[in-house]
Amino acid sequence: MTDILVSEVGPRDGLQSIERVMPLEAKKRWIAAEAAAGVKEIEVGSFVPPKLLPQMADTAELVAFAKGIEGLTVVTLVPNAKGAQLAADAGVHGMSIPFSMSETHSIKNVRKDHLAMLEEIRAAADIAREHGIHFAVGLSTAFGCTMEGAVSEDQVVRLAEKAAEAGALEFSLSDTTGYADPAQVRRLVKKVRGAVGDMLTTLHLHNTRGLGLANVVAGLEEGITTFDASLGGLGGCPFAPGASGNLVTEDLVLMLNSMGLRTGIDLEKLLKVRTIIEEALPGEPLYGFTPDAGPMLDYNQRTAA
């Protein structure tokens, strides 16, 4: 029986993608309710300048709150070494830095080319090591870029190797723009694993073109054991207006549990968490089939003990 980690990224990736700011108390209720449903890891925010992303201004407060929840791994995204220091000061359990495989996207997103980002990764890794914090690198736009189109798989492999040399302890492959297909997922996982081994553990997938869960299955077949998702698919996709964005946590958990994989997440409790978002952000588009259709009649017979 395989254990699969579902990492909830909605409080960061979801909320930073929408204009409205969710009240701090609602964020706390969301995080606490997901943890109570059995979610073991939550990305609670991002240490970026509040002027740029006011949605993330309360990240340090959320870290302090979430660290009080027994058994929950509290992680944040950091864009650079300065953010890494803020995360370390807040006492996060883990931090992740995005490293865009498309240099055009990297320059537009964080104003740094690949060489400059590798230096930021090295500096952030040093900070994390000094504070005993797990440090991961997200290989963003690994499957394609809305500015460059196709991204060379050999380039992804080369940059992953460079990031490992700079101090990364773990990697995720991120389908930032929703370009991935199952064959590409299998191929790229194999290639990156060939370079960095089991340091590649995670897929961060979007459902922009309806291929999210198919790509999860492809990842499972290649031995991936961690998947990022956002409750209600919150956040949409800024590169495809009107399309769903992040992989929907509810649909992912239904599928994994139904397949007999062990997530430790109670789907019935998880489905109730959606109400917190609906009340705090009325009218915000939420996605997912499971909240409407509910689980299958034989769902409990399918799930792992």
Side-chain angles (χ1 to χ4, degrees):
M1 195 178 298
T2 304
D3 289 310
I4 301 296
L5 176 64
V6 174
S7 181
E8 173 62 58
V9 299
R12 194 279 303 176
D13 197 12
L15 293 181
Q16 78 170 24
S17 301
I18 63 176
E19 291 186 10
R20 284 186 287 176
V21 177
M22 179 181 272
L24 175 60
E25 290 308 311
K27 291 183 184 181
K28 288 180 178 180
R29 286 193 292 119
W30 177 5
I31 291 166
E34 280 218 32
V39 174
K40 299 176 184 67
E41 179 176 286
I42 301 178
E43 189 177 54
V44 301
S46 174
F47 283 98
V48 295
K51 264 197 306 189
L52 294 178
L53 281 175
Q55 302 94 321
M56 300 289 106
D58 52 11
T59 295
E61 292 172 89
L62 282 171
V63 171
F65 168 77
K67 283 178 64 184
I69 300 174
E70 186 177 354
L72 180 66
T73 299
V74 182
V75 300
T76 61
L77 180 138
V78 300
N80 48 36
K82 184 176 181 180
Q85 187 60 60
L86 291 172
D89 293 342
V92 298
H93 298 136
M95 64 175 79
S96 175
I97 191 168
F99 183 23
S100 182
M101 301 293 92
S102 157
E103 195 159 47
T104 304
H105 183 272
S106 183
I107 292 168
K108 185 171 178 64
N109 192 40
V110 293
R111 300 178 185 175
K112 288 182 171 61
D113 62 15
H114 285 156
L115 283 176
M117 271 308 300
L118 283 167
E119 288 307 308
E120 291 291 342
I121 289 169
R122 192 179 310 279
D126 289 343
I127 292 166
R129 191 180 308 111
E130 180 184 343
H131 290 81
I133 296 168
H134 188 72
F135 179 64
V137 171
L139 304 174
S140 308
T141 63
F143 298 96
C145 173
T146 51
M147 300 166 204
E148 289 187 9
V151 173
S152 164
E153 293 178 357
D154 289 342
Q155 176 165 292
V156 176
V157 171
R158 178 178 61 82
L159 292 173
E161 290 175 324
K162 293 288 185 185
E165 292 168 5
L169 299 177
E170 184 178 8
F171 289 99
S172 69
L173 285 173
S174 298
D175 185 21
T176 313
T177 55
Y179 273 32
D181 64 67
Q184 188 185 20
V185 168
R186 292 189 191 95
R187 194 169 60 242
L188 194 54
V189 168
K190 284 176 182 173
K191 287 186 176 182
V192 175
R193 275 256 173 94
V196 301
D198 290 340
M199 292 171 70
L200 173 59
T201 62
T202 304
L203 286 177
H204 177 101
L205 300 166
H206 283 204
N207 197 43
T208 313
R209 292 169 177 83
L211 295 174
L213 291 179
N215 290 332
V216 169
V217 173
L220 288 168
E221 290 172 349
E222 293 301 327
I224 294 295
T225 55
T226 300
F227 296 91
D228 293 346
S230 175
L231 197 81
L234 187 67
C237 180
F239 303 106
S244 59
N246 286 300
L247 196 62
V248 177
T249 307
E250 301 97 310
D251 290 345
L252 175 63
V253 169
L254 172 82
M255 185 185 80
L256 294 173
N257 286 353
S258 295
M259 291 171 70
L261 301 169
R262 191 162 47 198
T263 65
I265 299 172
D266 185 317
L267 180 62
E268 186 177 343
K269 290 181 179 178
L270 182 70
L271 288 170
K272 292 177 181 177
V273 183
R274 194 177 175 106
T275 305
I276 296 171
I277 299 176
E278 290 171 339
E279 291 175 350
L281 300 171
E284 192 65 42
L286 297 176
Y287 302 93
F289 293 99
T290 304
D292 291 332
M296 313 80 156
L297 283 176
D298 65 344
Y299 170 77
N300 289 332
Q301 284 72 51
R302 299 181 183 207
T303 58

